[in-house]
Amino acid sequence: MNEQPKLRKPQAMMFDMDGTLFQTETVLIPAYHKTFEMLKQEGLYDGETPPEEIILSCLGMLLEDIWARVIPGAGAPTVARANELLLQLQLNEMAAGISAMYPQVNETLQYLHDQGVRLFVASNGLEGYVKGAAEVHQLSPLMEGVYSAGEYNTASKVDLVQLLLTNHHITEAWMVGDRSSDVEAGKKNGQVVIGCNYADFGDTSELEGSDVIITSFDQLITLYDQAE
């Protein structure tokens, strides 16, 4: 954890899902390869499966932007089917018990909830995927709201966070995430940003502008306890 400024205790904390709460690669990688196998079988894609490193580097982006990098120039039918397949296959992996949250996520969220902090998810993912991950890993009872770009059709995470703050009448919150989109969403909405630097596929340069950077999720407890 880097040297921190004096923080104020927030009314709420907003969490990114992939790379922050959820170890995305546990379901994404097998689902990704199966998606391309099925696209090839259905005649919607021809060629080698793009390297998995590409999609891992895109996590946190909107899906349309992810596919533009993974399969540039792909037609709308291919992208729509890829979305459908990837979502369903990831949900299948979760249901099979393969997925995992990062260490101490559930325990930390329970502690914060017990302190009266209002907890939310704010993710650029599809609604079914984001809510499915929260449900499978028993986060839903702790969350006042699970917001996704897929459900609200927001153009950016800045817009999604603004909507969340407005809907729940929140003026002081911490945005907790591992990507530049999380930093931007927090800062452009006038909130504190806690950068998460523990995902294997993350890039520390993405966290520039964070108020504090943590290297394990449970450090949030210390941050909260020491906040004024």
Side-chain angles (χ1 to χ4, degrees):
M1 191 159 48
N2 64 345
E3 187 175 341
Q4 65 189 75
K6 262 299 178 186
L7 302 177
R8 288 168 55 88
K9 280 187 166 57
Q11 297 168 290
M13 292 192 198
M14 305 171 291
F15 300 92
D16 174 49
M17 180 63 81
D18 294 326
T20 299
L21 300 176
F22 188 48
Q23 293 191 49
T24 315
E25 67 275 20
T26 56
V27 296
L28 176 62
I29 297 306
Y32 177 75
H33 288 286
K34 290 175 186 174
T35 293
F36 275 94
E37 288 171 16
M38 295 180 74
L39 289 174
K40 291 172 192 175
Q41 290 169 11
E42 295 174 12
L44 290 169
Y45 182 81
D46 182 25
E48 295 295 317
T49 298
E52 58 195 37
E53 290 77 17
I54 298 177
I55 196 165
L56 286 172
S57 72
C58 294
L59 289 175
M61 296 167 58
L62 294 169
L63 270 172
E64 60 190 51
D65 297 327
I66 291 176
W67 292 122
R69 287 199 187 182
V70 174
I71 41 177
T78 298
V79 170
R81 183 63 173 145
N83 276 341
E84 182 183 12
L85 287 170
L86 190 65
L87 171 61
Q88 189 55 56
L89 290 165
Q90 287 185 101
L91 291 175
N92 291 350
E93 298 289 337
M94 290 181 205
I98 293 169
S99 61
M101 290 286 160
Y102 283 100
Q104 299 299 308
V105 162
N106 291 74
E107 296 87 344
T108 300
L109 292 177
Q110 184 67 61
Y111 177 84
L112 295 169
H113 181 268
D114 292 345
Q115 304 308 304
V117 183
R118 301 165 68 186
L119 307 178
F120 298 86
V121 169
S123 167
N124 272 338
L126 288 172
E127 178 183 5
Y129 166 77
V130 177
K131 288 185 174 177
E135 193 67 36
V136 166
H137 292 282
Q138 302 177 328
L139 303 186
S140 298
L142 301 174
M143 295 292 167
E144 187 172 330
V146 176
Y147 278 65
S148 64
E151 180 175 3
Y152 291 97
N153 295 313
T154 44
S156 70
K157 187 166 277 191
V158 174
D159 295 339
L160 186 68
V161 166
Q162 182 182 47
L163 180 67
L164 188 163
L165 294 170
T166 300
N167 284 353
H168 297 273
H169 309 289
I170 295 165
T171 55
E172 287 194 80
W174 293 0
M175 179 69 223
V176 184
D178 70 312
R179 293 287 178 166
S180 58
S181 57
D182 300 309
V183 179
E184 180 187 36
K187 287 301 173 185
K188 286 194 173 178
N189 282 291
Q191 306 303 324
V192 167
V193 175
I194 309 299
C196 299
N197 185 28
Y198 44 77
D200 291 338
F201 46 83
D203 179 352
T204 40
S205 67
E206 294 216 21
L207 297 176
E208 288 178 8
S210 301
D211 294 283
V212 180
I213 295 176
I214 59 175
T215 54
S216 66
F217 192 78
D218 58 350
Q219 289 175 348
L220 277 173
I221 292 176
T222 303
L223 282 181
Y224 179 79
D225 286 346
Q226 291 179 351
E228 298 176 338

